[in-house]
């Protein structure tokens, strides 16, 4: 059943007319049946986790067996005995226990050596490049996701994309038409005073009469309002069911992803969720800060993955974790690392081809002290747009990029 | 008049509206005028309006009252205080304060129109002083001549920063401004070529922003000959703007945008309907005030093709509610709430401004709009001149539940609602006793989720 039809069904259940037509089947059963069906057929969802500041890929997926690594990371080196081994060359940072488990469960693909030509080492510029898939000087009005929404999203009550967070909305979501909400909490999807039965009853009754069939705008608003109230009811229901049994760590990222899981469960027709984890700009005393961030990332994503599974949505959700650049191979004099270039990125979900994708970039064949990329980030985007979301990518990415073979 | 725009006779459409038995001049039409020519009227304003001739009222709304020195002084002081914080988000609050209280609402509304047209975001410009300077410039020309407005915008530091055009050297002309000048500001897509962009970009070489100020660097200016739109010469930026505005598409483009802003969201008007407005612009040196006055006093404007044929923007919805009820609120909070609903003034989402129309609406924004209305009428960080809403209703002659509902519908809702939708509202008004003013607020809150409430 399409989301629109299911939404119509659950919206109509609020009105007496529909209930009267189906006297023997209690409404909640119908709704539950509809949701069950949706789990199997719902549209794919992409969750983007942006690691802002430039994540040190070399201390995330650690080439522990490479002498050049040990030589250049004289204080920040993570030894063979500390890493969580992926193979006999690379291993995860010890704080990333969750990633090791995701890999074991065949839910994690590590795409190595991702970047772009002539890497820019400014945070803002490089992030803009990742967000728009355009270089400076080219028109950059919209983001890669926003432009896709403009082309693909239907006008209507669905919220095609959502940003969870307080700060500025990422340019990746900038679109010319679609209004992408930035929300702080699930409460923004609940009708204030939704518990006032007299008020809600009056609204539902006032929405029951048909509106002038010749007035398109009014018809559109009428349909959208019924759908919005149904969504509000679903969110309230999801919130009412209480917190998930899955234990999320007490971190900000985990809190956001827990909200995302609830929103996916409530199904607002949203195809893209976007969250950010800040703080990866580790120029000095990197060790503790970086470990904490990677721990937060791995812990949150592991819980999220479990939660989605328990809610029956995991097979239609794919998570991308990326950063605007990696960091320099050679550590600096402050026990930190400076802005670099190519780095690994992560795709999480039961439908990925698990494991390392592509070789680790060479630690001796460098450009200005940085790793060379071999996989253009736009190929990752093409994969997500074409093969996951079912959207066209060429116009959005400014060229045809060959999708990677990373989805099973 | 027919609501199907293609069936409307363009010669009839822009004739002055003369009320007759079929279309009498009443509170509903006056409320429509006040909504479009500003944000909304109070009940007292509507009562006064129906005693006037429509054309006379329109002229008065376009002209505006004598400058209210006290209000302007307060506004300037407030602006200075906002600037001192260095936070451009406070500017949004400042403008909302103006919109809610300004004695010349059409000027605020038209400035908002130009802000969407020449969209520039403080998110990129960051310096609130530059944003305010641009705002003053838009306000200054809002009802005046479009030519000087475009000339001024072309040298406006905030605009040039926003469009990555702070440097423009002759060896490598920056095409950004030339492109937006034609596509977004003056002509619309399809009315120029890539070659025109390249040539016009050369005219703007040497135009730069340094330390927040516009400056012309003569030795960076390309002194060569440029050819575009059938003209050849050693043109500079000002010449380029002038020649672009001489293109036939310019008047049509601006008239079309004014039509969508003041008349209806959809459908797109046929060219024949726009032509008379475009012609008027050309004949009057592109002065927009008289064209807006003609639109607002026309038969088309007071017909079913326009009344209730726009989806209210979040600003129109909230400022309109406050103005209609004589209310005030914490504008900092309102600015944040409007950002959530997709309309942070001084922070348009992209260079094309707000798309508007149906794009205002989705599940999140519909609930957000209703929640905002609920918050405003609850008295949480808001207040009403009459004390409370029940007193206001009573003063306007609405005491019984039926009267309260009908009064609110006439004051706040642009189109009639079905009779069967009115009944539950009356029932709600009757059942919601208790604290004074609460029933009225609750009914407004319920109305805020009527599809009709979103129309303006």
């Amino acid at each position: 059943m399409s989301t629109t039809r299911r939404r119509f069904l659950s919206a109509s259940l609020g009105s007496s007319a529909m209930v009267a037509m189906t006297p023997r089947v209690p409404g909640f059963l119908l709704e539950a049946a509809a949701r069950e069906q949706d789990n199997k057929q719902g549209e794919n969802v992409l969750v983007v986790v942006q690691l802002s500041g430039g994540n040190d890929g070399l201390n995330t997926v650690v080439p522990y067996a490479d002498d050049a690594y040990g030589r250049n990371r004289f204080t920040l080196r993570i030894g063979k005995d500390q890493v969580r081994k992926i193979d006999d060359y690379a291993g995860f940072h010890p704080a990333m226990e969750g990633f090791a488990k995701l890999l074991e469960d065949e839910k994690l693909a590590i795409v190595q050596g991702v970047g772009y030509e002539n890497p820019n080492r400014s945070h803002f510029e490089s992030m803009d490049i990742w967000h728009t898939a355009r270089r400076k000087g080219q028109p950059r009005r919209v983001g890669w996701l926003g432009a896709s929404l403009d082309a693909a999203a239907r006008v209507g009550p669905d919220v095609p994309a959502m940003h969870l967070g307080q700060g500025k909305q990422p340019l990746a979501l900038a679109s010319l038409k679609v209004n992408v909400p930035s929300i702080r909490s699930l409460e923004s999807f609940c009708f204030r005073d939704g518990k006032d039965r007299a008020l809600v009853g009056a609204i539902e009754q006032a929405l029951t009469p048909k509106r002038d069939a010749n007035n398109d705008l009014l018809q559109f608003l009428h349909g959208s309002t019924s759908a919005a109230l149904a969504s509000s009811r679903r969110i309230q229901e999801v919130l009412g069911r209480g917190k998930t049994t899955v234990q999320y760590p007490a971190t900000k990222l985990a809190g956001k992803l827990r909200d995302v899981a609830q929103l996916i469960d409530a199904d607002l027709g949203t195809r893209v969720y976007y969250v950010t984890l800040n703080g990866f700009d580790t120029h000095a005393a990197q060790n503790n800060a970086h470990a904490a961030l990677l721990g937060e990332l791995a812990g949150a994503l592991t819980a999220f993955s479990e939660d989605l599974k328990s809610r029956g949505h995991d097979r239609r959700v794919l998570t991308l974790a990326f950063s605007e650049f990696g960091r320099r191979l050679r550590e600096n004099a402050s026990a930190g690392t400076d802005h670099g270039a190519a780095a690994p990125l992560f795709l999480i979900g039961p439908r990925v081809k698990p494991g390392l994708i592509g070789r680790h970039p060479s630690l001796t064949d460098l450009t200005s002290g940085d790793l060379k990329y071999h996989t253009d980030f736009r190929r990752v985007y093409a994969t997500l747009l074409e093969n996951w979301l079912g959207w066209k990518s060429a116009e959005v990415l400014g060229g045809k990029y060959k999708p990677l073979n990373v989805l099973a | 008049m027919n609501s199907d725009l293609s069936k409307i006779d363009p010669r009839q459409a822009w004739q002055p509206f003369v009320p007759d038995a079929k279309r009498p001049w009443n509170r509903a039409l006056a409320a429509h005028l006040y909504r479009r020519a500003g944000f909304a009227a109070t009940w007292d304003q509507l009562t006064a309006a129906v005693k006037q001739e429509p054309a006379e009222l329109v002229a008065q709304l376009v002209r505006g009252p004598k400058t209210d020195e006290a209000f302007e002084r307060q506004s300037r002081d407030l602006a200075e205080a906002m600037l001192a914080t260095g936070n451009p988000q406070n500017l949004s609050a400042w403008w909302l304060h103006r919109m809610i209280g300004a004695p010349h609402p059409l000027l605020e509304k038209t400035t908002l129109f130009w802000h969407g047209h020449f969209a520039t975001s403080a998110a990129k410009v960051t310096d609130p002083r530059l944003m305010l300077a641009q705002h003053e410039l838009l306000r200054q020309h809002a009802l005046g001549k479009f030519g000087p407005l475009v000339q001024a915008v072309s040298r406006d530091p905030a605009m040039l920063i926003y469009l990555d055009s702070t440097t423009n050297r002759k060896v490598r002309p920056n095409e950004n401004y030339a492109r937006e000048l034609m596509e977004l500001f003056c002509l619309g897509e399809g009315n120029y070529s890539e070659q025109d962009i390249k040539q016009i970009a050369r005219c703007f070489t040497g135009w730069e922003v340094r330390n927040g100020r516009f400056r012309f660097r003569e030795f960076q200016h390309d002194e060569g000959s440029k050819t575009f739109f059938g003209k050849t010469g050693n043109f500079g930026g000002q010449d380029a703007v002038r020649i672009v505005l001489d293109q036939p598409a310019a008047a049509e483009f601006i008239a079309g945008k004014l039509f969508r802003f003041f008349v209806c969201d959809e459908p797109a008007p046929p060219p024949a309907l726009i032509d008379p407005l475009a012609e008027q612009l050309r004949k009057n040196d592109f002065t927009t005030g008289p064209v807006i006055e003609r639109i607002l006093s026309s038969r088309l404007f007071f017909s079913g093709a326009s009344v209730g044929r726009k989806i209210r923007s979040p600003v129109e919805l909230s400022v309109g509610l406050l103005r209609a009820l004589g209310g005030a609120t914490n504008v900092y909070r309102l600015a944040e709430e409007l950002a959530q609903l997709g309309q942070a003034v001084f922070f348009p989402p992209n260079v094309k401004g707000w798309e508007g129309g149906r794009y205002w609406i989705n599940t999140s924004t519909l609930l957000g709009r209703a929640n905002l209305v609920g918050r405003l009428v609850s008295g949480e960080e808001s207040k009403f001149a009459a004390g409370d809403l029940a007193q206001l209703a009573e003063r306007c002659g609405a005491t019984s539940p039926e009267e309260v509902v009908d009064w609110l519908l006439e004051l706040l809702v642009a189109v009639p609602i079905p009779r069967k939708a009115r009944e539950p509202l009356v029932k709600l008004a009757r059942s919601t006793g208790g604290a004074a003013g609460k029933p009225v607020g609750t009914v407004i809150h319920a109305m805020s989720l009527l599809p009709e409430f979103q129309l303006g």
Side-chain angles (χ1 to χ4, degrees):
Chain A
M1 197 187 306
S2 74
T3 46
T4 333
R5 273 193 53 210
R6 186 175 70 66
R7 184 162 299 115
F8 174 71
L9 176 60
S10 72
S12 312
L13 285 167
S15 72
S16 49
M18 190 71 184
V19 176
M21 279 163 60
T22 55
R24 284 187 205 135
V25 189
F28 68 90
L29 278 184
L30 269 184
E31 225 173 329
R35 190 176 308 104
E36 192 52 45
Q37 215 168 347
D38 234 30
N39 283 353
K40 290 168 196 145
Q41 298 185 6
E43 292 179 297
N44 282 351
V45 171
L46 173 69
V47 178
V48 179
V49 180
Q50 173 178 307
L51 312 176
S52 302
N55 176 38
D56 182 12
L58 282 161
N59 269 19
T60 306
V61 177
V62 183
Y64 66 89
D66 201 313
D67 290 345
Y69 170 72
R71 273 202 309 278
N72 286 288
R73 293 291 173 96
F74 31 92
T75 71
L76 298 177
R77 176 177 53 228
I78 296 167
K80 185 172 153 185
D81 305 332
Q82 295 164 282
V83 296
R84 298 185 182 274
K85 281 183 191 151
I86 300 169
D87 61 13
D88 55 11
Y89 178 80
F92 289 117
H93 187 287
M96 301 177 81
E97 190 186 339
F99 268 40
K101 182 165 182 308
L102 285 170
L103 188 59
E104 199 179 302
D105 294 346
E106 307 200 319
K107 288 179 182 171
L108 173 64
I110 305 138
V111 187
Q112 307 201 84
V114 185
Y116 54 88
E117 238 176 48
N118 300 321
N120 190 299
R121 289 171 184 80
S122 144
H123 292 293
F124 306 104
E125 182 51 30
S126 191
M127 196 56 102
D128 282 357
I129 290 169
W130 276 82
H131 280 166
T132 61
R134 296 289 189 284
R135 298 301 296 237
K136 200 171 198 150
Q138 295 177 292
R140 290 204 289 211
R141 297 174 177 177
V142 290
W144 69 285
L145 291 165
S148 303
L149 296 172
D150 275 338
R154 300 168 289 261
V155 181
D158 280 356
V159 182
M162 229 183 276
H163 167 231
L164 280 89
Q166 306 251 13
K168 188 185 156 199
Q169 192 166 87
L171 183 57
L173 293 171
S175 74
L176 290 182
K177 295 175 175 171
V178 176
N179 196 342
V180 178
S182 280
I183 67 160
R184 284 169 207 179
S185 73
L186 300 187
E187 307 304 325
S188 44
F189 283 101
C190 293
F191 179 51
R192 182 193 162 106
D193 298 341
K195 292 195 180 92
D196 183 337
R197 308 250 319 247
L199 176 65
V200 175
I203 291 168
E204 281 175 354
Q205 279 179 42
L207 285 174
T208 311
K210 287 200 177 65
R211 263 50 178 192
D212 178 6
N214 293 319
N215 189 336
D216 280 357
L217 217 47
L218 195 56
Q219 289 294 328
F220 162 77
L221 287 165
H222 193 203
S224 300
T225 310
S226 300
L229 277 176
S231 296
S232 167
R233 238 178 276 137
R234 285 201 306 275
I235 297 253
Q236 250 151 1
E237 191 190 296
V238 167
L239 289 175
R241 263 185 247 147
K243 297 287 185 221
T244 160
T245 50
V246 174
Q247 276 286 324
Y248 276 86
T251 60
K252 266 194 190 163
L253 182 65
K256 286 183 195 170
L257 289 176
R258 183 174 51 212
D259 285 352
V260 171
Q262 289 186 310
L263 286 163
I264 289 171
D265 206 12
D267 189 8
L268 309 179
T270 304
R271 305 292 310 276
V272 177
Y273 292 91
Y274 206 107
V275 300
T276 295
L277 178 60
N278 294 320
F280 284 89
D281 197 16
T282 49
H283 284 284
Q286 172 174 310
N287 261 340
N288 289 340
H290 196 228
L293 287 165
L294 293 178
E296 179 167 358
L297 176 69
L301 282 172
T302 318
F304 181 56
S305 167
E306 268 175 57
D307 193 6
L308 288 175
K309 190 175 178 201
S310 76
R311 292 174 190 267
H313 295 293
D314 58 336
R315 292 192 59 76
R316 66 185 188 98
V317 180
L318 181 68
T319 302
L320 160 74
F322 82 99
S323 192
E324 72 268 35
F325 43 61
R327 303 191 82 82
R328 188 141 301 166
L329 170 60
R330 191 165 181 83
E331 71 175 80
N332 62 28
S334 320
T337 50
D338 298 324
H339 301 178
L345 61 71
F346 305 96
L347 295 169
I348 299 120
R351 282 163 66 190
V352 300
K353 287 195 172 156
L356 293 165
I357 312 279
R359 59 180 168 76
H360 196 287
S362 163
L363 302 196
T364 47
D365 177 20
L366 306 171
T367 305
S368 326
D370 287 328
L371 303 185
K372 286 182 178 170
Y373 86 105
H374 54 68
T375 299
D376 193 297
F377 73 101
R378 286 164 291 194
R379 290 191 63 195
V380 178
Y381 287 178
T383 317
L384 300 171
L385 293 173
E386 302 269 352
N387 299 351
W388 185 253
L389 294 166
W391 294 341
K392 291 194 169 61
S393 70
E395 206 161 309
V396 169
L397 302 180
K400 282 201 164 186
Y401 290 87
K402 195 177 162 215
L404 302 169
N405 185 18
V406 291
L407 298 177
Chain B
M1 202 170 270
N2 204 306
S3 62
D4 180 352
L5 296 181
S6 65
K7 292 194 180 129
I8 290 172
D9 180 351
R11 282 165 307 182
Q12 293 291 317
W14 305 114
Q15 293 294 317
F17 165 67
V18 180
D20 56 23
K22 262 178 74 187
R23 202 87 183 149
W25 176 234
N26 54 20
R27 281 204 171 90
L29 285 188
H32 166 63
L33 171 61
Y34 266 97
R35 268 181 214 114
R36 296 286 175 84
F39 301 94
T42 61
W43 188 256
D44 291 347
Q45 282 174 319
L46 294 181
T47 306
V50 292
K51 291 178 190 141
Q52 270 181 293
E53 288 298 317
E56 186 194 332
L57 178 58
V58 172
Q60 193 181 309
L61 292 174
V62 173
R63 198 170 52 236
K66 212 169 135 270
T67 308
D68 179 342
E69 290 299 343
F71 179 82
E72 292 304 330
R73 201 176 319 114
Q74 186 201 33
S75 178
R76 269 195 306 273
D77 291 348
L78 200 56
E80 271 310 314
M82 298 291 185
L83 290 177
T85 68
N87 178 358
Q89 268 167 352
N90 289 336
L91 278 182
S92 309
W94 169 80
W95 194 1
L96 290 168
H97 172 262
R98 274 198 73 95
M99 289 192 231
I100 294 164
H104 191 189
L106 180 64
L107 184 59
E108 304 302 321
K109 188 79 173 269
T110 317
T111 306
L112 183 59
F113 168 77
W114 292 120
H115 178 40
H117 184 82
F118 294 108
T120 302
S121 174
K124 179 154 178 180
V125 177
T126 68
D127 183 345
R129 282 185 192 276
L130 298 184
M131 291 304 295
L132 186 64
Q134 184 190 71
H135 173 88
E136 297 297 351
L137 188 159
L138 299 178
R139 174 182 298 277
Q140 185 197 336
H141 296 281
L143 294 161
K145 291 185 176 148
F146 184 62
L149 174 56
V150 183
Q151 294 287 6
V153 164
S154 303
R155 296 157 168 266
D156 176 53
M159 171 60 79
L160 296 177
I161 290 169
Y162 185 59
L163 291 181
D164 295 313
S165 301
T166 51
T167 55
N168 201 353
R169 314 252 155 101
K170 64 182 167 195
V171 286
R172 217 169 53 150
N174 183 335
E175 292 178 9
N176 251 2
Y177 190 73
R179 179 183 304 278
E180 306 305 17
L181 174 72
M182 289 190 278
E183 181 181 339
L184 301 175
F185 303 158
C186 298
L187 302 178
E189 223 169 346
N191 293 309
Y192 54 89
S193 68
E194 288 298 311
Q195 191 55 29
D196 295 330
I197 292 176
K198 287 192 166 54
Q199 294 291 306
I200 289 178
R202 292 175 55 215
C203 300
F204 286 109
T205 47
W207 288 38
E208 299 196 351
V209 175
R210 193 57 57 89
N211 299 325
R213 281 167 202 269
F214 174 81
R215 69 170 184 180
F216 178 59
R217 295 220 289 168
E218 218 173 336
F219 65 94
Q220 282 299 347
H221 183 67
D222 182 339
E223 295 285 349
S225 156
K226 299 108 184 167
T227 301
F228 51 95
F229 294 133
K231 307 246 189 234
T232 301
N234 171 17
F235 298 128
Q238 276 177 306
D239 304 314
V241 170
R242 187 174 43 75
I243 295 167
V244 166
L245 285 181
D246 279 342
Q247 299 311 300
E252 289 149 27
F253 181 67
I254 296 305
K257 282 200 86 169
L258 288 171
F259 182 96
R260 185 162 183 243
F261 191 76
F262 286 106
V263 179
C264 65
D265 282 343
E266 53 187 70
L273 201 51
I274 295 302
D275 283 344
L277 302 179
E279 199 45 44
Q280 191 184 350
L281 277 176
R282 285 187 203 107
K283 278 191 182 144
N284 288 297
D285 214 2
F286 273 74
T287 316
T288 50
V291 174
I292 292 170
E293 182 168 345
R294 185 174 179 196
I295 292 173
L296 295 176
S297 51
S298 68
R299 296 182 60 180
L300 180 66
F301 179 76
F302 287 104
S303 77
S306 175
V307 177
R309 296 280 169 170
K310 272 182 74 73
I311 292 182
R312 293 202 258 192
S313 72
V315 166
E316 289 166 342
L317 184 91
S318 54
V319 174
L321 182 75
L322 289 167
R323 284 194 81 116
L325 299 172
T329 191
N330 176 341
V331 282
Y332 299 94
R333 179 157 176 195
L334 182 59
E336 276 174 37
E337 289 163 330
L338 293 179
Q340 294 278 305
L341 298 179
Q343 196 179 24
V345 294
F346 287 105
F347 296 83
N350 58 63
V351 289
K352 280 187 83 181
W354 292 279
E355 181 70 17
R358 296 187 187 211
Y359 289 98
W360 290 126
I361 300 300
N362 62 41
T363 287
S364 154
T365 57
L366 271 175
L367 295 169
R369 287 159 81 108
N371 289 345
L372 170 57
V373 170
R375 199 273 292 172
L376 290 174
V377 296
S378 74
E380 189 182 323
E381 294 191 64
S382 59
K383 60 178 193 298
F384 300 92
D388 70 53
L389 291 170
Q391 282 170 352
L392 179 65
E394 208 178 317
R395 237 192 48 207
C396 299
T399 45
S400 74
E402 285 84 0
E403 285 166 352
V404 166
V405 168
D406 291 339
W407 169 68
L408 288 174
L409 286 171
E410 201 162 15
L411 183 64
L412 302 176
V413 185
V415 293
I417 67 168
R419 195 175 45 79
K420 283 205 159 158
R422 176 181 169 271
E423 284 164 17
L425 297 175
V426 172
K427 217 176 105 195
L428 181 69
R430 190 173 295 129
S431 72
T432 324
K438 186 155 181 285
V440 179
T442 305
V443 175
I444 297 173
H445 194 192
M447 280 181 179
S448 72
L449 267 174
L450 295 179
E452 290 84 359
F453 194 85
Q454 314 304 337
L455 296 172

